[in-house]
Amino acid sequence: MLEQLERLVQEAQEALQSANDDQALSEWRSSYLGRKGKATEAVKALGSLPREERPAYGRRVNEIKRTLEDAYEAKAEALKKQAQVQALVVDQVDVSLPGRPPRPGRLHPATRTLREIYDIFAEMGFQVYRSRDVETDDLNFTLLNMPPHHPARDMWDTFYTVTPGVILRTHTSPGQIRAMRQYYPEPIRVILPGMCYRYEQITARSEIMFNQVEGLAVGKDITMADLKGTIVDFARRIFGAGREVRFRASHFPFTEPSAEVDMDCILCDGAGCRVCKYTGWLEIMGCGMVHPVVLENGGYDPEQYSGFAFGMGPERIAMLKHGIEDIRYFWGNDLRFLEQFG
Ligand code: FA5
């Protein structure tokens, strides 16, 4: 019997040497040390031996079982180490290779223009006042001196929500009323940037959503000269010191008097080209002195206070500055366009 044991241990050790992966090792374990394994069976065989043979057999069989268990543990550990070393070789990183440069994001051209506008007006003492995109019909129209059925509403058709009287704003002007109601009776000098929405034909110059930057100054003794000075200074700071600016009489229900502001065409220097329709002038914004009705709706007594307001389209300004021919590029999400900025 003891000889059989010696053969068993030798066979087991040889088999263990050739078990070189996890699966072979686990098969080895069940065929020698498992419940029906050969070493386990050899231990069980103790009971069937004649009494005098049992002590020597028992000692040896236990030794062998421990030896095999230890050998198993050692082999499992060795295989694990070997796998780790292999993984290091396979996944080796060549730290001397040049890295992959991260592609930094950049600001959208509309955002860049907006920030340029904020900077210029900040230097003139204007704060940014945020107003909401979803507005009431009252603020977008009625309180701006356009009661229901006023013909000027036709120019600014919009998108309606399912809640009666709640719409997407067509311009940033309703923010004038909000700012006045918040600041009364303090003097005001704010710009109001943000998205506006119009139900209109999309063309190279017109989108159904676009930014506007409104300006509002309210105080005592504010005159048309303040409006002109502010706008001429703004136009020269954003487009260049030598620019010519002209004011052309116009009409907005919420300003009186009202004007459109034109600048000499940046592309042809006023000589006349396709972009300025051969007039030599480009329109950049609407403006005027705040209408007394609007001042009153904002809480300010028009006998004591006056103010000016203006509204411009930053995408149109960016188009002029960068020679962009179609406003649809702004929201088209085409990287070939967006990557040209910044
Ligand atoms: C207005 O919206 C007035 N609220 C501006 C104003 C404010 C006048 C305060 C007086 C006092 P208008 O509809 O012209 O006016 O729009 C102003 C500017 O918004 C335009 O000059 C243009 O730059 C821009 N804009 C208007 N419609 C579009 C459009 N569909 N797509 C892109 N930009 C537009």
Side-chain angles (χ1 to χ4, degrees), residues 243 263-282 320:
R243 301 260 64 113
M263 191 187 69
D264 58 334
C265 178
I266 199 165
L267 300 169
C268 63
D269 266 333
C273 68
R274 199 169 54 88
V275 174
C276 63
K277 298 194 190 106
Y278 303 97
T279 61
W281 296 97
L282 288 167
L320 290 178

Side-chain angles (χ1 to χ4, degrees), residues 144 155-156 170-174 176 196 198 200-203 205-215 251-252 254-255 258-260 283-290 308-317 319 327:
L144 291 174
M155 286 194 326
W156 290 301
T170 56
H171 50 176
T172 40
S173 302
Q176 288 187 29
C196 300
R198 290 189 191 175
E200 64 181 32
Q201 179 89 31
I202 297 176
T203 67
R205 284 180 57 73
S206 299
E207 260 290 2
I208 55 170
M209 51 182 271
F210 54 94
N211 281 291
Q212 276 193 349
V213 177
E214 186 95 2
H251 171 75
F252 294 102
F254 32 89
T255 45
S258 305
E260 302 275 1
E283 179 195 315
I284 56 169
M285 69 177 94
C287 65
M289 299 305 290
V290 181
F308 67 73
F310 54 83
M312 66 183 91
E315 284 91 21
R316 295 247 180 105
I317 288 178
M319 287 169 81
I327 199 168

Side-chain angles (χ1 to χ4, degrees), residues 137-153 156 171 173-174 176-177 180-181 251-256 258 289-298:
D137 179 282
D138 264 2
L139 273 119
N140 196 76
F141 295 116
T142 311
L143 296 170
L144 291 174
N145 204 22
M146 282 178 279
H149 311 299
H150 191 288
R153 285 181 172 226
W156 290 301
H171 50 176
S173 302
Q176 288 187 29
I177 303 281
M180 282 192 262
R181 288 184 174 176
H251 171 75
F252 294 102
F254 32 89
T255 45
E256 181 59 36
S258 305
M289 299 305 290
V290 181
H291 196 288
V293 168
V294 176
L295 278 175
E296 221 159 47
N297 288 337

